[in-house]
Amino acid sequence: MRAAASERVLVLLALLIVAVALFASTFGQTFSGGGDVAQQPMFFPRIVLGLWAALALAALVQAVLAGEGVAPIASWTRIGVVLLAIVVYANAIAWEGFFVPSVVFALVCLPAFGIRNPLVVAAFAVAVPGALVALFNHGLGMPLPTSRFTYLF
């Protein structure tokens, strides 16, 4: 029972629930033009969500089976901060675009997970969202939500 109450198991369970819920939500949507399934807007997200759910399930099973040496939950405050940050982040993307909320999310979550070096936190918080914006918006032509201030990010 101790393995099922570990922080790792709870996080993996939450990841699995979110992936399955998002995957299930893609089936109730209707799109114009029947056509080929691969041409539907939900084709790529379903693949990604399916992989996400499969990996979360595999990691969850592994965490439960190898649970003898698993430490109990270290900080409920840390979990609360991260969950609140996720809720705010998911809602902020709609009106502030992808880049700015992602930077703020990283600036909140990285210290919550114990990464305290300000240079590493700042570099990661700007570099990763910046690379994703460059890749998707400017490289692949699959735009992420942009800021109301500029179309560049």
Side-chain angles (χ1 to χ4, degrees), residues 1-89:
M1 185 63 185
R2 182 176 175 200
S6 73
E7 186 173 341
R8 181 175 180 196
V9 170
L10 290 176
V11 169
L12 289 170
L13 185 61
L15 284 171
L16 179 62
I17 290 169
V18 168
V20 169
L22 287 172
F23 188 81
S25 73
T26 65
F27 288 104
Q29 300 174 0
T30 58
F31 304 101
S32 62
D36 186 17
V37 172
Q39 301 301 318
Q40 296 292 328
M42 284 294 119
F43 179 71
F44 182 69
R46 282 184 187 150
I47 291 172
V48 172
L49 290 169
L51 289 172
W52 174 358
L55 289 172
L57 180 63
L60 179 63
V61 168
Q62 187 271 335
V64 170
L65 292 178
E68 287 91 29
V70 176
I73 294 173
S75 171
W76 284 100
T77 305
R78 176 175 49 181
I79 292 175
V81 166
V82 172
L83 287 175
L84 180 63
I86 289 170
V87 170
V88 171
Y89 173 69

Side-chain angles (χ1 to χ4, degrees), residues 110-130:
L110 290 174
F113 284 119
I115 300 171
R116 302 279 193 254
N117 185 338
L119 184 60
V120 171
V121 170
F124 187 86
V126 172
V128 171

Side-chain angles (χ1 to χ4, degrees), residues 19 91 101 146:
N91 288 303
T146 56

